Amino acid sequence: MLTNQRMIPHAIRRLRRGIGLGTALVLGSCLGATGCGRAPAKAPPAPPTPVTVSYPVEREVTDYADFTSRIAAVESVEVRAHVWGYLEKVNFKEGALVKEGDVLFELDPRPYRAALDQATARVRLDEAQLRFDEAEYERSLALARRGALSRSDLDRSVAARDKDRANVEADKALVASYELNLDYTKVRAPVGGRVSRYLVTVGNLVQSGDQGGGTLLTTIVSVDPMYAYFDVDEGTIQRARRSVRRDITRPDGERVWPVSLGLATEEGFLHRGTINFVDNQVNAKTGTLRVRGVFPNKDEALSPGFFARVRMPVGLPHRALLVSDRALDNDQGQRVLYALNEKDEVVSRLVRVGALHDGLRAIEGGLTPGERVIVDGLQQVRPGVTVAPKLVAMPTSESGARAAGPVTPPEPGRVARRPAAAEDGGPR
C-alpha cells in the first residue's frame, strides 16, 4: 500500500512533462507554418540628403596680383649745417612734427656777425672813396674840355672812378655772403615732416657741410603722402600692359592705375593709392621690374620702413561668376562644382577657376549662369543622386554657409546677385 502511494506523485510528474512537450511541438509547428506562408517586410526608402545651395554671384571684378612692398618717405633729408660753429640751442622735441622753415638748431653767431659788420664798414669806406673819385672825374673832365688837362690825367681819373665802383659792388657781394653765413647759424628744417632725435648736443663743434660731409645733426622724413616700392615679375607686367593697350577709353596721359595696400596688422587692403613710377628696365638678376605707388597718409598709419602687402590690378574690369571656395571639390587634380538640375539631381561640373574676390572665387569656365551650386554637404552627395536643397545667399569663404535673408531665383539668363553691402571692399 505504501509502495503504491509513492508511485502516484512520480506518475503525475511524468504526465505533466509529457503534456508540456506536446504543447511545445504544437506551437513550433504552428509558428513554422505561419513563417513559411508570409514574405519578409521591406525597409522604407531613405529620404533625400539635405544640402545647402546658392546661386552664383555675378559682378564686375578686376583681376589682381599681390606683392610685398617696403614703405618709404617721399622726402627724407639729413640735416647738416652750412657753416661751422659751436652749437648753442636745440629748438625742437625729438620725434615731433616740424614745418618747413622751422629753426631746429642755433650756432654761435658772433664770429659771423663780426665779419658782417666789418664788410658793412668796408662798403661805406669804398662808397666814400667812390664819391671823391667821381667828383675828381667831373673836375678833370671840365679841365680837359678847356685844354688845361692832359688826356692821360683824364684817363687816370676815369680809371679811379671805375675802380671805386667795382670795389663797392665787391663789398656789397661780400656783405651778402656774410649775411647768408649769419643766417646759416640758424639751422632750419628744409622740409616738413617728422624729425628724428638730435645727434649733437649743445656745446659741441659743428662742422659745415662743405668740409668732408659736415656734422649730421638729425634727419627729417615727410609724413603725407608715402611711397611703397615693390617688384613685379615679367609675366604680370606684360599682362598689365596688354590690358593698358586694349583700354582705348582714355588717353595715356589721363590713365590712372590704382593700387591698394595693407599692413601686416590689417585685414584686407585698406589704403588706396595710385602707381606713379615704373622703372625703365627689368632687373636681369631677379626678372622683376621696380614699381612705386603713392598713398595718402593723413592718419599717419604708414611709416617709412614698414613692410606691407600691395594689390595691383592686372586687367580691365569684366563680368564674372563668383562662388564660395567651400563649394569647390577636387577630382583627379581638376576643380569640380556640384550643381542641381530641374529634378534636384546632382550634376558634376569641371570648372576653371580664377582669382579670389572678396572671399569668392571667380569661375572662368564650366559653370552655366543660373545653376544652383551646392555649398554645404559636398561629402554626402555624388553625381546622379537626388537631394533636398535649401537655398541661401552665396556665402564667402570667411563667413561660411549662412543664409543672408530670403533669396529669389534669378530671371532666365541672369544670375543672382549678392546684397550690395556684401560686395563692398577690395579693389574693383
Side-chain angles (χ1 to χ4, degrees):
M1 187 66 180
L2 294 172
T3 304
N4 292 337
Q5 290 177 352
R6 293 191 188 100
M7 295 177 61
I8 289 174
H10 181 67
I12 293 173
R13 286 194 297 271
R14 292 182 63 186
L15 179 60
R16 290 176 177 174
R17 192 180 297 114
I19 292 173
L21 180 60
T23 303
L25 291 173
V26 172
L27 291 174
S29 299
C30 293
L31 292 174
T34 302
C36 293
R38 302 179 66 179
K42 295 183 179 179
T49 303
V51 295
T52 303
V53 299
S54 298
Y55 289 109
V57 175
E58 185 182 23
R59 191 171 74 218
E60 189 175 78
V61 298
T62 303
D63 293 335
Y64 57 82
D66 293 345
F67 304 95
T68 300
S69 69
R70 173 80 78 171
I71 296 175
V74 173
E75 296 177 317
S76 179
V77 180
E78 293 182 343
V79 179
R80 303 176 191 270
H82 289 276
V83 295
W84 70 272
Y86 288 92
L87 184 61
E88 282 194 341
K89 292 183 181 179
V90 178
N91 298 326
F92 67 93
K93 183 179 179 181
E94 295 173 310
L97 286 172
V98 297
K99 298 179 181 179
E100 182 179 355
D102 287 351
V103 178
L104 305 180
F105 301 92
E106 293 185 30
L107 305 181
D108 184 4
R110 290 174 296 177
Y112 299 98
R113 185 175 293 114
L116 176 61
D117 293 341
Q118 183 179 7
T120 303
R122 184 69 182 178
V123 169
R124 291 197 295 269
L125 177 62
D126 287 341
E127 286 179 342
Q129 184 65 39
L130 173 61
R131 288 193 295 273
F132 174 78
D133 287 338
E134 284 181 340
E136 283 292 317
Y137 167 73
E138 294 296 333
R139 286 192 290 271
S140 298
L141 183 61
L143 292 174
R145 288 174 180 170
R146 294 197 300 268
L149 186 69
S150 66
R151 184 66 183 178
S152 175
D153 292 336
L154 179 61
D155 292 341
R156 191 178 296 109
S157 178
V158 172
R161 182 203 60 180
D162 293 343
K163 180 181 177 181
D164 291 338
R165 287 179 177 177
N167 287 337
V168 170
E169 292 178 359
D171 292 339
K172 289 182 177 180
L174 190 60
V175 167
S177 176
Y178 286 145
E179 287 177 343
L180 189 60
N181 287 341
L182 181 61
D183 185 66
Y184 279 157
T185 59
K186 295 182 178 181
V187 182
R188 292 179 169 84
V191 296
R194 190 169 296 280
V195 66
S196 180
R197 65 185 182 93
Y198 48 85
L199 303 176
V200 179
T201 55
V202 173
N204 283 284
L205 178 64
V206 175
Q207 298 291 336
S208 67
D210 297 333
Q211 300 176 6
T215 304
L216 178 61
L217 301 176
T218 188
T219 58
I220 302 175
V221 293
S222 61
V223 174
D224 182 27
M226 281 288 180
Y227 284 153
Y229 289 90
F230 54 99
D231 297 320
V232 182
D233 59 277
E234 293 184 35
T236 302
I237 285 293
Q238 294 173 10
R239 182 180 176 188
R241 286 178 174 174
R242 284 196 299 268
S243 300
V244 170
R245 287 194 293 267
R246 289 196 299 267
D247 185 9
I248 60 176
T249 59
R250 289 178 294 182
D252 290 341
E254 299 178 2
R255 184 178 292 110
V256 177
W257 202 256
V259 64
S260 303
L261 181 143
L263 299 176
T265 57
E266 298 174 342
E267 293 184 2
F269 298 82
L270 305 181
H271 307 272
R272 300 289 188 268
T274 57
I275 292 176
N276 71 336
F277 166 75
V278 178
D279 211 345
N280 58 0
Q281 60 182 344
V282 174
N283 189 322
K285 295 181 179 179
T286 62
T288 58
L289 191 66
R290 177 58 59 91
V291 179
R292 184 182 70 195
V294 59
F295 297 86
N297 191 37
K298 296 186 181 301
D299 57 355
E300 296 189 42
L302 308 179
S303 292
F306 276 0
F307 276 109
R309 297 168 286 110
V310 169
R311 175 165 291 179
M312 184 186 77
V314 293
L316 299 176
H318 61 279
R319 306 295 294 181
L321 293 177
L322 306 173
V323 301
S324 174
D325 257 344
R326 65 185 299 139
L328 290 166
D329 198 5
N330 291 315
D331 185 7
Q332 298 181 355
Q334 293 182 310
R335 306 308 298 272
V336 177
L337 283 175
Y338 295 109
L340 300 184
N341 59 16
E342 296 81 1
K343 300 179 180 179
D344 292 338
E345 294 176 345
V346 179
V347 181
S348 178
R349 297 278 189 254
L350 294 178
V351 295
R352 187 174 70 255
V353 300
L356 195 67
H357 300 275
D358 302 336
L360 295 177
R361 182 69 61 178
I363 304 300
E364 298 180 350
L367 182 64
T368 303
E371 288 189 292
R372 294 171 296 170
V373 177
I374 298 177
V375 295
D376 197 11
L378 273 66
Q379 298 81 3
Q380 306 174 17
V381 300
R382 66 181 184 276
V385 302
T386 303
V387 296
K390 178 184 177 182
L391 187 62
V392 300
M394 179 63 69
T396 64
S397 299
E398 294 81 5
S399 63
R402 297 195 302 267
V407 180
T408 57
E411 301 175 3
R414 294 187 62 82
V415 180
R417 293 176 175 271
R418 296 172 62 202
E423 297 186 11
D424 294 337
R428 294 290 180 263

